[in-house]
């Protein structure tokens, strides 16, 4: 481990001395382009969120906010009366932002923690342990990734109903908390790549599998696990269909469903664009903060995850 | 803990596979407690909240919990509610959906109560109450509101084209040359060089403002798209309404009308269908891309709410048979068959259908309530907001409405007609191609 | 099976070196393995296997969700074979998958290499991940609006630059590429991050050796990066291929299958039949067929890409 840490900076240092400046400039240009494509739509989102909704259409292509207002953000936080909202062309529907936020945090955290941990355990069994039928069982698990989600939504809904867990956090969380096929697949691929030497050395010392898993595999895979956890969290945070089915009542409604009130409310109607865009920004904020907080860690730990 | 949970799940799953799903039919009937009510239009929420508060005051042992859920998610969530047993006791129902719900026994028939409580069905605008009697002759809802079609126009564009608002009130239309309606549309169309649609040198491929906006192909009903034209020729969607069993998309009269309609896009007077997939037609109108939009009365608030644009509303044109025509669509409140609070639910539905509540709705000037007297009050309330809604109410007064086509299989009919109509309106297929789609549709009823 | 054989081969190769006792002990890990997969197994059985079995059963029935399922044997499958919309949905989905994979994988690989070699900054990585923070539905709605022919800001820019406006969603030629572009936009940074993580895991000494041998950048990429990246690339490919086959959200909130049938992708067609038209049996049968297709595709991918092996052994 310590040798890897010492070795890692070397190639970067040698690369920096490379003479290919034109190539580097080209690479940077591509990178800037990719960043522009990623970011520009968000500027449009911000511009729209700061606009008065019923002034948007007549300023459809103005790059600045149409009749600047913070009304849309107030709407998202539920600080605007229906009358004020309607006067700005926004949705007059009631939302309880902080409650939805709390529900979203609980839902995403529990499912992420559970799914990543249990999937890591399973991935360990599928990659580092040798047992009869291992690959067959793994193929079956992998096969679940192939099942169209639409296909399982209704039976799962009925199952939750029969467990009498509709409109409860437990019912919301259950299908995700034990595993996701992607997480198992993802971690298994990383575990496969892990050096056997460290592990085998530990085996000789008489270490048990649980200890190997917790003390060697998990720390060594910190980077992929952190990456996976972040990606899973984002996925869960944006989950819409299942919470819509199972948690329709206010006390368990998550943010993505709650903020749906800014979409078109009547047939052939237009959405409350300002409200929807403000909601998009605000609902992305927690994930953004999470990334800002742990992103650096992910980068650093990747350097140290020293595989061989 | 995990183990016991697993055991429960096994048991539940087995129960599930043995008996698919048994709707909760048992119900202790009582007129107390909390009942749940769903609606989709957020703009109407304040009015109905008011109704619920008034109702609770008059019936201290019943409370109403209102949930508003947008149109996009409304029906899927509702269906899941029926399956999962979490459906609301009472909900806003749509003509396009209720046939299937009634057939699947999800709706509670309320004939007895209506008779017992002496609900005067003739107090509603004509035809609205009959819509909610199913094929089995039972009543599945009491009318709450209605909508018709009108022409929203951009006042500034009209005056710069030299067309008066009075002219807009006397438009005529026929499928051969489009009548004065087409002339006005052509004149309101302006290309990038400022040439109008009826001037020589008009560039139909570079249009700046279209005379008429387009919402879409209109699928099976053409509610806001073309039915206000096609149904002035004596054509109607089905052999009888409600509960027709034959659709008439193969009628040459209808196909002639559709060819004319699709021709508008070809002439450059209406946007091509492919360019309308994206922003809503109302937003496009507000952005100054079209001068006239045919749209429903439930969109009044949307159109008049835009900033920087003056909107007028004209009645739809008079057709070859000397009459205007507008689809007459109505909503109702229905009770879920699985409710455990039947009596309270009935009370609430009757209250929603009463003058007490419909007057409250009228005062908000969002939609037209179903009761005649309340409709008039709504018109006054709109007037007070500075919106003249006679274009919509006139249809009802002059009895130039026809009902939204109610049949079985509405979802499947829509599934077939949507691509077929898109092909016609986009000019990719002639209207005669609808004959084949019509055969497919009618085969559903055999 | 072949993968199993390969594994034991690589295991024996590994154990051929100093300590043979290690591998002996490993062959009997069944008990401990069961313990490790137990929690995942619960989720697997109850939320994947059971609903799938139920769905397969329903595919042999006529079932409108609200009533009771009625056994009809192979009727649904026979009807599907003769359903032009089903075949159309397959073709349309195929187009989408091809375009999406091509765009997404190529761009993501390029981005990951750039991140790895040019800019290891967290901020850049975070920026590229921004689109993924937006939910599918919202991203689709946003682009639906920005790409509108008449009032969309993108078309305004296109016109300003002197090009003709494009009916992104409305023209049959553009409808599917547009869907692919939106999904690529949202997933590009995500996929790049996965590949980037894989790149980071390649031991640096391998590159040093290559450098000492005087390998060119391209040679290094072809001979070292790609082979060593294979497990991750396979993961990315399998996941994006499967994900692409299941495209639904963006279509549902934008074109809803149109224009005419140009974007009636298979998953949307299932939804339409099962939920909109309340023909759950028919929808389930299409879903079963989709499942079989996906299984075949995944099998072929794993076989040809040898995703189970790592070249590090």
């Amino acid at each position: 481990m310590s040798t890897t840490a010492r070795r890692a900076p070397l190639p970067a240092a040698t690369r920096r001395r490379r003479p290919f400046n034109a190539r580097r400039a080209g690479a940077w240009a591509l990178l800037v382009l990719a960043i522009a494509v990623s970011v520009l739509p968000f500027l449009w989102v911000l511009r729209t969120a700061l606009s008065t909704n019923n002034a948007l259409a007549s300023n459809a292509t103005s790059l600045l906010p149409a009749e600047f207002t913070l009304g849309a953000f107030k709407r998202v936080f539920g600080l605007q009366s229906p009358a004020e909202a309607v006067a700005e062309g926004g949705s007059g529907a009631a939302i309880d932002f902080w409650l939805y936020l709390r529900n979203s945090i609980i839902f995403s955290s529990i499912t992420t923690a559970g799914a990543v941990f249990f999937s890591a355990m399973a991935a360990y069994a599928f990659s580092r342990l040798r047992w009869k039928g291992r690959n067959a069982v793994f193929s079956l698990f992998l096969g679940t990734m192939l099942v169209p989600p639409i296909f399982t939504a209704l039976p799962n809904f009925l199952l939750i109903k029969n467990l009498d867990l509709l409109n409860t956090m437990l019912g919301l969380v259950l299908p995700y908390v034990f595993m996701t096929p992607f997480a198992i697949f993802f971690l298994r691929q990383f575990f496969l790549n892990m050096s056997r030497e460290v592990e085998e050395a530990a085996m000789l010392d008489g270490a048990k599998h649980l200890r190997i898993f917790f003390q060697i595999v998990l720390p060594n895979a910190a980077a992929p696990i952190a990456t996976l956890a972040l990606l899973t969290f984002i996925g869960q945070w944006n989950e819409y269909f299942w919470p819509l089915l199972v948690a329709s009542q206010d006390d368990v409604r998550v943010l993505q469903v709650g903020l749906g009130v800014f979409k078109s409310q009547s047939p052939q109607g237009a959405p409350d664009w300002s409200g929807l865009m403000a909601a998009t920004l605000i609902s992305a904020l927690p994930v953004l903060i999470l990334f800002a907080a742990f992103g650096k860690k992910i980068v650093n730990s990747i350097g140290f995850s020293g595989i061989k | 803990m995990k183990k016991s949970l697993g055991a429960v799940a096994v048991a539940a799953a087995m129960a599930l596979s043995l008996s698919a799903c048994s709707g909760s039919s048992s119900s202790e009937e009582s007129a107390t407690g909390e009942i749940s009510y769903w609606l989709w239009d957020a703009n109407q929420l304040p009015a109905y909240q008011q109704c619920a508060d008034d109702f609770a005051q008059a019936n201290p042992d019943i409370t109403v919990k209102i949930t508003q859920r947008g149109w996009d998610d409304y029906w899927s969530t509702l269906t899941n509610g029926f399956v999962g047993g979490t459906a609301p006791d009472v909900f806003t129902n749509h003509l396009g959906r209720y046939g299937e719900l009634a057939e699947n026994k999800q709706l509670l028939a309320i004939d007895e109560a209506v008779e017992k409580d002496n609900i005067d069905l003739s107090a509603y605008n004509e035809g609205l109450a009959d819509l909610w009697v199913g094929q089995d002759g039972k009543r599945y809802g009491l009318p709450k509101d209605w909508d018709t079609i009108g022409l929203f126009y951009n006042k500034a564009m009209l005056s710069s084209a030299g067309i008066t608002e009075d002219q807009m009130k006397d438009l005529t239309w026929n499928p051969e040359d489009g009548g004065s309606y087409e002339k006005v549309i052509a004149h309101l169309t302006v290309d990038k060089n400022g040439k109008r649609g009826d001037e020589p040198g008009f560039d139909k491929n570079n249009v700046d403002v279209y005379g008429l906006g387009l919402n879409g192909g209109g699928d099976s009903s053409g509610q806001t798209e073309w039915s206000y034209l096609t149904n002035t020729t004596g054509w109607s969607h089905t052999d009888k309404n409600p509960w027709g069993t034959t659709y008439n998309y193969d009628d040459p009269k209808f196909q002639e009308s559709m060819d004319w309609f699709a021709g508008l896009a070809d002439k450059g007077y209406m946007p091509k269908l492919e360019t309308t997939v994206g922003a809503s037609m109302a937003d496009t109108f507000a952005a100054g891309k079209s001068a006239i939009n045919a749209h429903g009365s439930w969109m009044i608030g949307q159109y008049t709410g835009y900033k920087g644009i003056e909107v007028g509303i004209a009645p739809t044109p008079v057709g070859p048979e000397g009459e205007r025509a507008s689809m007459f669509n109505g909503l109702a409140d229905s009770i879920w068959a699985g409710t455990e609070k039947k009596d309270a639910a009935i009370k609430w539905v009757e209250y929603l259908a009463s003058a007490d509540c419909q007057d409250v709705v009228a005062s908000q000037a969002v939609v037209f309530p179903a009761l005649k007297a309340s409709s008039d009050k709504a018109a006054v309330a709109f007037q007070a907001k500075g919106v003249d809604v006679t274009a919509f109410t006139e249809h009802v007064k002059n009895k130039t409405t026809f009902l939204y086509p109610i049949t079985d299989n509405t979802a499947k009919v829509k599934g077939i007609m949507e691509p077929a109509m898109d092909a016609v309106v986009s000019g990719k297929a002639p209207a005669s191609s609808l004959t084949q789609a019509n055969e497919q549709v009618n085969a559903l009823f055999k | 099976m072949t993968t199993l054989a390969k594994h034991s081969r690589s295991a024996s190769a590994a154990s051929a070196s100093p300590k043979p006792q290690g591998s002996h002990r490993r062959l009997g890990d069944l008990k401990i393995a069961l313990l490790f997969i137990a929690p995942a197994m619960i989720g697997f059985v109850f939320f994947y296997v059971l609903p799938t079995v139920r769905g397969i059963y329903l595919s042999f029935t006529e079932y409108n969700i609200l009533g009771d399922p009625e056994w009809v044997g192979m009727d649904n499958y026979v009807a599907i074979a003769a359903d032009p919309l089903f075949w159309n949905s397959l073709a349309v989905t195929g187009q989408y998958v091809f375009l999406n994979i091509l765009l997404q994988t190529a761009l993501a690989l390029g981005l990951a290499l750039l991140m790895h070699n040019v800019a290891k900054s967290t901020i850049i990585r975070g920026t590229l991940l921004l689109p993924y923070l937006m939910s599918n539905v919202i991203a689709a709605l946003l682009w639906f609006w920005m790409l509108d022919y008449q009032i969309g800001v993108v078309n305004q820019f296109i016109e300003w630059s002197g090009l003709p406006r494009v009916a992104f969603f409305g023209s049959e030629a553009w409808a599917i590429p547009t869907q692919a572009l939106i999904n690529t936009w949202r997933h590009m940074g995500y996929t790049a991050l996965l590949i980037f993580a894989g790149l980071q895991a390649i031991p640096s000494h391998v590159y040093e050796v290559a450098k000492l041998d005087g390998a060119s950048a391209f040679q290094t990429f072809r001979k070292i990066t790609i082979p060593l990246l294979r497990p991750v690339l396979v993961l990315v490919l399998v996941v994006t291929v499967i994900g692409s086959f299941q495209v639904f959200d963006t279509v549902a909130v934008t074109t809803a299958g149109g224009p005419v049938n140009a974007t009636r992708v298979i998953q949307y067609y299932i939804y339409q039949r099962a939920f909109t038209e309340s023909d759950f049996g028919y929808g389930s049968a299409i879903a079963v067929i989709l499942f079989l297709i996906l299984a075949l595709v995944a099998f072929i991918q794993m076989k040809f890409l040898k995703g189970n092996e790592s070249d590090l052994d």
Side-chain angles (χ1 to χ4, degrees), chain A residues 28 37 39 44 61 130-131 144 146 149 151 158 186 188-189 193 196 199 231 280 288 291 299 302 308, chain C residues 26-27 29 33 44 54 118 125-127 133 138 146 156 185 194 200 231 242 246 294 307-308 310 312:
Chain A
W28 269 105
V37 170
V39 171
W44 188 251
T61 51
R130 310 239 168 265
W131 42 287
T144 58
L146 312 174
F151 189 52
L158 291 173
F186 179 95
R188 178 178 171 275
Q189 295 298 89
N193 245 1
R196 291 215 170 79
E199 199 185 334
L231 295 179
T280 301
L288 208 61
F291 189 82
V299 187
I302 283 175
K308 266 189 188 167
Chain C
R26 285 182 160 209
L27 287 169
D29 290 337
F44 172 69
R54 205 173 139 72
V118 182
R125 206 166 316 149
T127 312
L133 300 186
I138 303 276
M146 291 203 304
Q156 191 62 51
W185 176 77
L194 289 186
Q200 294 287 76
I242 292 169
Q246 309 201 342
L294 287 177
N308 274 329
S310 153
L312 271 180

Side-chain angles (χ1 to χ4, degrees), chain A residues 61-174:
Chain A
T61 51
S62 134
L63 297 181
L64 291 172
E67 301 195 10
F68 178 88
T69 171
L70 290 175
F73 287 96
K74 286 191 193 150
R75 253 186 331 272
V76 173
F77 290 113
L79 295 174
Q80 215 175 31
S81 74
E84 282 173 313
V86 170
E88 289 188 2
S91 159
I95 60 168
D96 190 344
F97 178 81
W98 299 107
L99 179 68
Y100 303 158
L101 180 73
R102 188 202 70 181
N103 291 337
S104 268
I105 291 175
I106 296 176
F107 169 68
S108 309
S109 311
I110 294 180
T111 50
T112 303
V116 171
F117 180 69
F118 294 140
S119 299
M121 283 173 65
Y124 177 76
F126 286 131
S127 60
R128 316 302 292 184
L129 299 175
R130 310 239 168 265
W131 42 287
K132 220 177 153 196
R134 184 183 84 166
N135 282 26
V137 176
F138 174 66
S139 302
L140 281 178
F141 268 71
L142 197 59
T144 58
M145 213 153 47
L146 312 174
V147 181
I150 277 185
F151 189 52
T152 53
L154 188 78
N156 274 340
F157 173 77
L158 291 173
L159 179 60
I160 295 298
K161 176 206 162 191
N162 280 268
L163 292 171
D164 212 9
L165 290 175
L166 286 179
N167 289 312
T168 65
M169 189 51 80
L170 187 60
L172 195 56
V173 155
L174 270 184

Side-chain angles (χ1 to χ4, degrees), chain A residues 52-60 67 82 86-94 118 153-155 157-159 161-163 165-167 170 174 178 240-241 244-245 247-250 253 257 260-261 263-271 273, chain B residues 1-2 5 8-9 12-13 15-16 20-22 38 40-43 45-46 65 67-73 76-77 80-81 83-86 94 215 223-225 279-284 286-288 295-296 298-299 302 305-308:
Chain A
T52 306
N53 193 53
N54 50 14
L56 273 175
S58 43
N59 298 286
E67 301 195 10
V86 170
E88 289 188 2
S91 159
F118 294 140
L154 188 78
F157 173 77
L158 291 173
L159 179 60
K161 176 206 162 191
N162 280 268
L163 292 171
L165 290 175
L166 286 179
N167 289 312
L170 187 60
L174 270 184
F178 294 111
Y240 182 76
F241 195 55
L244 181 73
L245 283 188
S248 54
Q249 274 169 24
D250 228 18
R253 195 179 292 177
V257 176
V261 298
K263 293 197 291 178
S264 169
Q265 299 299 297
S266 50
Q268 302 188 2
W273 284 112
Chain B
M1 188 248 158
K2 225 160 271 147
L5 192 65
V8 174
L16 203 65
C21 88
S22 50
W38 282 14
W40 64 75
D41 190 349
N43 291 324
L45 187 58
K65 186 171 188 288
T67 302
Q68 178 267 335
R69 172 138 305 153
W71 174 259
D72 288 349
D73 297 325
S76 56
T77 322
N80 279 298
V83 179
T86 55
H94 190 272
N215 179 58
Q223 183 174 15
T224 62
E225 293 84 1
S280 74
M281 176 170 84
D283 276 354
T284 313
H295 226 155
W298 70 90
M299 295 294 289
Q302 178 96 33
Y306 286 117
K307 293 201 173 172

Side-chain angles (χ1 to χ4, degrees), chain B residues 125-394:
Chain B
N125 279 295
E126 206 171 311
L128 289 182
D130 301 339
L131 289 172
W132 298 92
V133 176
Q135 266 174 304
D136 54 5
K138 288 189 182 135
R139 166 164 301 280
Y140 291 109
L142 283 176
K144 66 187 294 148
D145 59 30
W146 55 265
D147 52 71
T148 54
I149 309 301
L151 304 176
F152 293 88
Y153 55 82
N154 184 319
K155 284 189 180 173
M157 288 181 184
L158 225 65
S159 67
S160 78
I163 296 168
T164 65
E165 298 195 43
D166 283 337
Q167 259 174 289
M168 288 296 291
K169 288 183 181 140
D170 297 314
L171 295 176
T172 60
W173 174 83
N174 65 68
E176 290 90 40
D177 64 4
S180 63
Y181 187 44
E182 180 171 336
K183 290 202 177 71
V184 164
I185 291 173
H187 194 59
L188 284 168
T189 305
V190 184
D191 73 7
K192 291 260 149 72
N193 305 317
K195 279 243 170 354
R196 292 194 174 274
D198 50 5
E199 288 172 4
F202 167 70
D203 179 3
K204 69 173 187 176
N205 294 317
N206 283 298
V207 177
D208 192 33
V209 179
Y210 291 98
L212 184 65
L214 178 64
N215 179 58
D219 59 70
S220 53
S221 77
Q223 183 174 15
T224 62
E225 293 84 1
W226 38 258
S227 68
Y228 68 96
L229 300 170
T230 56
N231 294 53
T232 61
T233 63
W235 177 82
S236 60
H237 291 72
T238 50
D239 55 346
K240 59 180 170 139
N241 198 18
W243 311 117
T245 52
T246 314
Y247 276 84
N248 298 325
Y249 302 117
D250 56 349
D251 188 327
K253 240 189 312 195
F254 174 70
Q255 297 184 351
E256 187 189 12
S257 306
M258 287 311 294
D259 274 328
W260 174 84
F261 187 67
L264 280 185
D266 190 44
K267 292 168 191 158
Y269 300 161
M270 180 171 82
K272 290 191 163 46
L273 183 65
E274 62 177 49
T275 69
T276 63
V277 188
S280 74
M281 176 170 84
D283 276 354
T284 313
F285 173 87
K289 295 290 175 184
S290 63
I292 302 175
N293 270 11
H295 226 155
S297 55
W298 70 90
M299 295 294 289
I300 295 173
Q302 178 96 33
Y303 278 92
T304 55
Y306 286 117
K307 293 201 173 172
I309 197 158
E310 284 285 305
V311 180
I313 310 169
T316 55
V318 174
E321 295 198 338
E323 298 265 13
R324 306 180 197 278
S326 162
M327 191 172 278
F328 197 29
N329 179 39
L331 305 180
D333 291 304
S334 293
I335 300 174
W336 176 40
T339 179
E340 287 176 3
K341 307 198 175 77
K342 195 176 133 192
D343 292 343
I346 288 174
K347 258 194 173 166
W348 169 236
V349 167
E350 287 179 353
Y351 184 76
L352 286 169
S354 72
D356 287 344
C357 177
Q358 301 214 343
D359 283 350
V360 169
V361 174
S363 69
Q364 302 272 335
V366 181
V367 287
F368 298 106
L371 284 167
K372 284 178 203 160
S374 304
S375 285
D376 295 340
K377 286 183 184 153
V380 173
F382 273 115
Q383 197 71 56
K385 273 176 145 186
V387 184
D388 180 1
V389 293
T390 39
F392 297 108
T393 53
E394 196 177 322

Side-chain angles (χ1 to χ4, degrees), chain B residues 25-69:
Chain B
S25 50
S26 65
S27 58
E28 56 176 89
E29 288 163 25
S30 75
T32 56
E34 185 185 85
I35 52 175
S36 48
Y37 175 61
W38 282 14
L39 61 113
W40 64 75
D41 190 349
N43 291 324
Q44 297 179 41
L45 187 58
Y48 284 102
Q49 191 57 57
Q50 182 67 48
C51 287
D53 294 345
D54 297 349
F55 178 73
Q57 206 145 41
N59 302 276
D61 36 1
I62 309 177
T63 50
V64 179
K65 186 171 188 288
I66 302 184
T67 302
Q68 178 267 335
R69 172 138 305 153

